Amino acid sequence: MHLSSLLLCLCLGALANCAAGSQWCYTGCEHTPSNWKDISGSFCGKNKQSPINITTSHVKIDQNLRNFTFVNFSSQHIIKSIKNTGHTVKGILKDNEAEVSGGGLNGTYSTIQFHLHWGDTEHHPGSEHTIDGHRYPMEMHIVSLKKGVPQPTEDSEGIAVLGFFINATDDGDMSGPWSTLTSYLTNDTDSEVDFNHTLSINDLIGNVNLAKFYRYMGSLTTPNCNEAVVWTVFQEPININKNLIQKFPMKTGLTNVFRPAQSMNGRHVYASPATPLPPSHPWCYDDHCEYSPSKWNMIPQSHCGGKSQSPVNIEARNAVTDEHLKAFSFTKFDEKHAIKYITNTGHAVKCVLKEDMLEVSGGGLGYDYSTLQFHFHWGSASHDSEGSEHTVDSHRYPMEMHIVNKRKDLSLEQAIQTPNGLAVLGFFIEAADAPKSSGGGSEHHEASPTSKPTSNTDAWKKLTSYLSHIKDISSKADVAEEISIEGLLGDVDRAAYYRYNGSLTTPSCNEAVVWTVFKESIKVDRNLMMMFPTHAGYRNVFRPAQSLHNRTIFTTASAPSVPGPVTLCLLLACLCALFNNLPL
Ligand SMILES: *[C@@H]1O[C@H](CO)[C@@H](O)[C@H](O)[C@H]1NC(C)=O
Ligand SMILES: *[C@@H]1O[C@H](CO)[C@@H](O)[C@H](O)[C@H]1NC(C)=O
Ligand SMILES: *[C@@H]1O[C@H](CO)[C@@H](O)[C@H](O)[C@H]1NC(C)=O
Ligand SMILES: *[C@@H]1O[C@H](CO)[C@@H](O)[C@H](O)[C@H]1NC(C)=O
Ligand SMILES: *[C@@H]1O[C@H](CO)[C@@H](O)[C@H](O)[C@H]1NC(C)=O
Ligand SMILES: *[C@@H]1O[C@H](CO)[C@@H](O)[C@H](O)[C@H]1NC(C)=O
Ligand SMILES: [Zn+2]
Ligand SMILES: [Zn+2]
């Protein structure tokens, strides 16, 4: 008697613990998406996770991705019940009736359920996958298990999920299949409601072209995030009335039920032959490709022929002093683990930062910006190489570093279409042992005091040590070393800079950039600088200067510089001498 009640307690205790341990949510609990990896037994921190952002310019056609075969998808009696699980709304299908095969799937999959992901009542979109950064209002997942596989969640292709984007229209059918489905929405998470209407899966899919889809290997998008899913994401969305979309957050009380995009970690996305992909427009800096810099303006949809293009030659003498160009405020630039990975884009070496970590404001920008990435432009591997994009009084520096920031209140998509959507901070890079001042310009060196100790060598050594890992174009390496932007910048003066409105310096050259070009250069060991062209395998990756047209370049007010008063004294002394010598 006592023993059995003790056992019962232990069992209940275990169950309670188990339930508490597996609790997860999208917001408002201990295990939000960024902490799902800490749930015991979960795979959420692994490297083949879903969802992802699909970058269409990187997608390759796979001829093996032929049409799907669907069984009983047009059956009007396939849906057994509807359930609010507390995380989503799920349509549970009758056992062993609907099936999917073909579409490049290896085997036949038995379809068991569909469910949805959505945003909130404020019209924020909530699809899980995104296409070139675009998030659709909703996403439907149709889940099927591979037949003949005893443990589908433990097989790398044990589960096939068909993902459909849902797009909001202003005036769609308010009485069709989706209206029927929404009539079952409830905030009651306990009950499973029998489905008493005639409705097929094909009714929900509508007229989406099922021959156009993307394919990649990934995971379940909720804990335990098992990496067992062959993903199909259809290119065309299901269009439904926006008022029906609103019913999902409103009637269920669940909002923003989607997981953020996960890293690709070297995975590829393929597409079926019928999927339209953006034409690839090979551009380069030399003339060994279809579009050399003088032809970038002919790349379809590019802005490279616009009137506010970058880079430019800065004529120091003509820069107009602007008192509003005050000090910048840099947030977390000293963070030593901010770099997510370093990659060789084929045009530059780029360090992609962790999202929403670093910020830039002040500096006369007028908005808060979040820092996305930094990258480099360089010349050749020779000692007198010149490879900066901007030039000052026609003087080209050996290298230029660009720190790219996006206005916090805009999505990337919006930012590249807004005149000040992006703020790029440009720093010239010179050899640490470079002789003081060279080339035509001298004024721009005025603000920089005599050469300083290079305190940033350590950071540059660590950064360049990764270049040998990314020799292949499109390759990338995780950055484990402690490297901060602050460490790379060292003690370079950030109060003296030029400001003008310009563009991205690579296609599509969007005129969305507020440019800051700092006057003082970062000093880096010459041998470390030479590693960029040597390891990347290409050189002279800078765009020639663009015409200023009627733009003005502004400058910070020159600091009360030491030479000023001295010069004045000398001048007075001269005048005195002059007067003294005059035979008055
Ligand atoms: C399709 O559904 C019907 C019942 O509606 C069922 O009899 C049939 O077996 C199903 N087809 C397959 C291939 O499972
Ligand atoms: C296809 O699936 C079968 C059975 O699950 C498996 O043995 C085989 O390796 C798979 N083939 C490929 C190409 O993945
Ligand atoms: C989404 O719906 C809007 C109308 O609300 C329409 O203009 C747009 O073309 C649709 N997008 C797609 C990809 O069908
Ligand atoms: C659930 O919805 C009903 C109306 O359909 C409402 O009265 C109730 O307050 C809601 N419950 C919660 C917890 O939101
Ligand atoms: C695949 O499906 C598309 C549209 O559903 C159709 O136009 C095409 O003919 C199909 N291809 C084959 C080989 O059946
Ligand atoms: C950039 O353009 C905006 C108008 O779009 C203007 O208000 C601003 O003064 C310009 N800034 C500079 C530095 O030219
Ligand atoms: Zn899902
Ligand atoms: Zn750049």
Side-chain angles (χ1 to χ4, degrees), residues 81-85 88-92 188-193:
S81 59
I82 304 285
K83 183 171 168 52
N84 177 342
T85 67
T88 183
V89 164
K90 184 153 87 176
I92 298 160
D188 180 358
T189 55
D190 293 327
S191 64
E192 183 173 327
V193 186

Side-chain angles (χ1 to χ4, degrees), residues 4 30 46 65 100 158 214 220 271 301 308 319 326 373 506 511 532:
S4 59
E30 187 191 345
K46 296 193 78 184
L65 300 178
V100 54
Y214 304 101
L220 297 175
Q301 262 88 59
S308 298
K326 295 277 197 291
Q373 48 108 330
T506 54
E511 296 184 339
F532 285 87

Side-chain angles (χ1 to χ4, degrees), residues 255-381:
T255 55
N256 298 314
V257 285
F258 62 91
R259 186 188 194 192
Q262 305 294 302
S263 293
M264 289 300 291
N265 297 317
R267 284 176 292 172
H268 289 288
V269 179
Y270 299 91
S272 60
T275 313
L277 293 178
S280 65
H281 295 295
W283 59 268
C284 59
Y285 290 105
D286 52 31
D287 47 14
H288 295 120
C289 69
E290 195 176 341
Y291 294 101
S292 55
S294 62
K295 293 182 186 155
W296 286 0
N297 61 325
M298 285 149 66
I299 298 174
Q301 262 88 59
S302 98
H303 306 267
C304 305
K307 287 205 163 12
S308 298
Q309 289 290 295
S310 295
V312 294
N313 175 45
I314 298 166
E315 287 179 17
R317 207 180 315 266
N318 294 338
V320 176
T321 301
D322 181 350
E323 302 292 340
H324 299 103
L325 300 180
K326 295 277 197 291
F328 282 97
S329 159
F330 301 102
T331 307
K332 291 237 175 166
F333 268 42
D334 57 351
E335 168 63 50
K336 290 192 165 74
H337 296 282
I339 303 176
K340 199 151 82 179
Y341 60 85
I342 182 169
T343 182
N344 178 345
T345 68
H347 302 294
V349 163
K350 180 164 82 173
C351 294
V352 175
L353 303 174
K354 292 182 182 155
E355 278 158 44
D356 303 325
M357 190 178 257
L358 277 57
E359 288 182 15
V360 175
S361 59
L365 291 173
Y367 289 90
D368 291 344
Y369 288 80
S370 70
T371 310
L372 306 176
Q373 48 108 330
F374 60 90
H375 62 264
F376 302 93
H377 297 269
W378 61 78
S380 68

